[in-house]
Amino acid sequence: MVASFPREAPILRYRLYDHRIPVARRRDLLWPVWAYRVVAPRPRSRRWNFLQRAVTGLLLRGYHDDVAIADLLHLHPDLVRVVRRQLVDNGTTFEDGLVKPDAARRLRDETFDLAQNLDDFITGYVFQDPFSGLLLPRLASTIETPDVTFDDRGFPVLLFNNRSHRPFVELPTGAPPATPTPRDVLDAVTRFERARHGSSEAFEDDDRPANVARRVDRVNFIEDRPHLMFVSTYLYFEEGDQDWNVCDPFGLRTSPLTTVVKRRSRDSKNLAAFVERLHERVTPEGEASYASVLDRVQADAEREVERHFGQRAQEHPLYQWLLECELAHQELRSASDKHAERKANEALKATRKLIEGVLAVVRDAHATAGVEQHLIEHDRTYNARRLDAMAQSLGFVTPLPERLSSVKVSDVYAMANRAWTGKLRPLLVATLIAAYRDARHPLRAVATRDPTFLHDLESAIHWGGGAAHVPNADDAPLPPAVTVAPNARDVAYRALSALCFTDPSALRSFGATASPAVGVVDEPLDDGIDDLDA
């Protein structure tokens, strides 16, 4: 353990986002990170091939007949139909052939940027949290440091904005965690570019195995020995809020660092005391202390989990995800009206994570390899009929939701044949097909007593995705999160109980098999405050 501040460690200070937090409601913080120098492909906007570009251009000019487009481009009409189906699948056009407004803008922008280097690389540092081992979805191409002196105890005093600042320092423990994989680095850089540009920009995200492997292979340098650094930021309470957040050290509005700092506060007495002191300063006299509130919520969550799943719940590999889900819902129940919707979004994200764990451990226990062979690529009508027939034969209500039956076959392949998660509908489809061909699959027993299960689980996945991602302009509006979060929790608990809670010892840990070697912290929703605590 590092007993004193390592003076040789650089302190990074970038221009922070102005949350307009009064000085009395914030305290400076130095957070340790392991910095890896990397060279990775720069994420770029999703591009069209020349046929897709040509067909899209004619659609924008009012040509909608396949034969007319084929004549103008000297192509076979069948090829035009294939290209138009690809344009629907990649989000360029609606089903009726109209080009989506954002796709038209991106096509126009790329038309004037054809000289852009497709093999452009970005060089910089990615940062790993020393306690959780997760990468922050941030990349810094330069190292910016403030003026620093040291006090009598050897701790840093930062000089900026014509003032001296004595931050709280959380010291790292032990050696660096596992080195990030190329996939982790690519994921972190891509998420950073998305967060930096906002939801209006769509970046290349084709998850077909061949394309993922190609992009991962282009991450051609990850430093073997990381450098210990500290990022300068501040922790704050917003006016009227009992919850706290951490300002993003790299200048963006949302801060994934909030996630890892909150996790660490559960184990670090010094950090918890630092938060408690600030909370006491901003809390009116007579209100419960922040530490006591946390203890009460934690105890309530543990009792509720035990009530649902028995005393052996803590032995289950998914217990941590289960407890975090229940904690999020306990916080939702105690939230004021002002913060209820935000807490409901947190609860939905934690619920989605629990569902992801359930489907992952079921996949580990009941093989899904090769299930994609029951489907045909780019034939949604056939696939929907095929999946409906499977579900009906097992006893589930059909037809299945269109969002479930229309998943891409390439996504089903990726979720079924590799230890990946993240795309839950393809993973659920793979589970359904596995149950169809395996008489011992636990999903078969679910159908006999819960025939609406697939519909309910898909809805919970849909609500969780809405809470975790910024919606597209053409997405149908979702119901208020506060109204659907309790239902989503109930569905997740039904799934956990029915699919993988019968024999905890027979299941491997979700985190050990389904996650990357390191992983990347999720980006919070840009709703004005940093609200991710999962």
Side-chain angles (χ1 to χ4, degrees), residues 218-254:
R218 294 173 66 209
V219 179
N220 57 15
F221 178 74
I222 302 175
E223 199 166 21
D224 292 332
R225 297 183 179 179
H227 306 274
L228 177 63
M229 301 184 183
F230 288 80
V231 290
S232 172
T233 181
Y234 60 84
L235 183 148
Y236 67 94
F237 283 85
E238 284 206 318
E239 190 73 38
D241 197 346
Q242 292 294 307
D243 201 5
W244 53 273
N245 300 276
V246 179
C247 183
D248 182 54
F250 302 94
L252 299 189
R253 183 185 180 101
T254 55

Side-chain angles (χ1 to χ4, degrees), residues 321-363:
W321 284 266
L322 173 59
L323 183 60
E324 288 187 3
C325 177
E326 185 58 40
L327 277 170
H329 284 274
Q330 291 288 338
E331 292 177 1
L332 169 59
R333 295 187 190 101
S334 60
S336 63
D337 291 343
K338 177 181 178 182
H339 304 293
E341 190 69 10
R342 176 169 61 86
K343 286 296 182 183
N345 278 313
E346 292 181 12
L348 284 172
K349 287 182 282 191
T351 302
R352 187 182 188 278
K353 187 174 182 180
L354 177 59
I355 294 172
E356 183 177 349
V358 170
L359 295 177
V361 294
V362 172
R363 177 189 59 191

Side-chain angles (χ1 to χ4, degrees), residues 246-295:
V246 179
C247 183
D248 182 54
F250 302 94
L252 299 189
R253 183 185 180 101
T254 55
S255 177
L257 189 61
T258 297
T259 301
V260 295
V261 176
K262 286 187 174 181
R263 285 182 178 177
R264 177 61 179 165
S265 70
R266 300 167 186 167
D267 302 318
S268 171
K269 293 182 178 179
N270 290 336
L271 179 59
F274 168 67
V275 175
E276 176 65 19
R277 288 194 297 271
L278 177 57
H279 183 263
E280 289 174 351
R281 292 194 52 157
V282 303
T283 303
E285 188 175 356
E287 290 190 13
S289 71
Y290 182 74
S292 65
V293 170
L294 281 183
D295 291 341

